[in-house]
Amino acid sequence: AKINQEAAVRKADRATQAAADATAKATAAAAAASEARANAEGKAAEATSAREASDEAARQATAAREASDEAARQATAAREASDEAARQATAAREASDEAARQATAAREESDRKAADATAAREASDEAARQATAAREASDEAARQATAAREESDRKAAAASEARAAAEAAAAEATAARAAAEQARQASEEAKAAAAAALEDAKVKIADAEAFMVEVKSKPGRADGAIWWIERELYESKKYIPESRGGIRK
């Protein structure tokens, strides 16, 4: 019985030791579990912080991408505005070139018209000079015709006086007849000279009138000078007998 008791005591001691060992192991396991839980909680906190940091990084990345997209859109708009400005500048340059071309053409046309006007003025001056020469010739012809008529009148008067003297002086009839014949011949010569002068004046006046018609048909004529010359020609015709193409005074 004593052996059984000792065996039981030893068995109890072993059991107690086993329980103590189990308790120690349980305590160590609990401590290890507590430490592992603490580590797990630390890792979980770190994971949460990391996730939050990742979320913030993702948010910032999204914001950065949106900012990049906005910058790209603005860059595209700026490029399109630049292209439009370049197009408008090109159109403005082309319009300026066209305006310069038209201005050059207008200047050349103005120079041409100025040259034409100068030529017309010179032609008008030449026509006026020729008209002046024609008027002077007409004046001279009229003067000569007037002198011839006056001479004819004077000689006709002398012939009348001679004829009256011949009739009054019968004794000097022969001499008077001779004087009358001479006077008649002189009168005929004077009449012939007057007729020739009148015909010459008529021809010159006709030439002057034809020249005035030609002058009036040309551009750039001086109407005032033409009127004055025509008036002079009209007055000159008064010194020509109507039977010779003259006009009544």
Side-chain angles (χ1 to χ4, degrees), residues 127-140:
R129 186 191 65 76
Q130 293 179 1
T132 299
R135 185 179 66 252
E136 292 173 351
S138 176
D139 293 342
E140 177 62 19

Side-chain angles (χ1 to χ4, degrees), residues 225-237:
I226 290 174
W227 178 88
W228 188 82
I229 293 170
E230 289 180 336
R231 182 64 182 176
E232 291 294 319
L233 291 174
Y234 177 82
E235 292 294 328
S236 298
K237 287 183 178 181

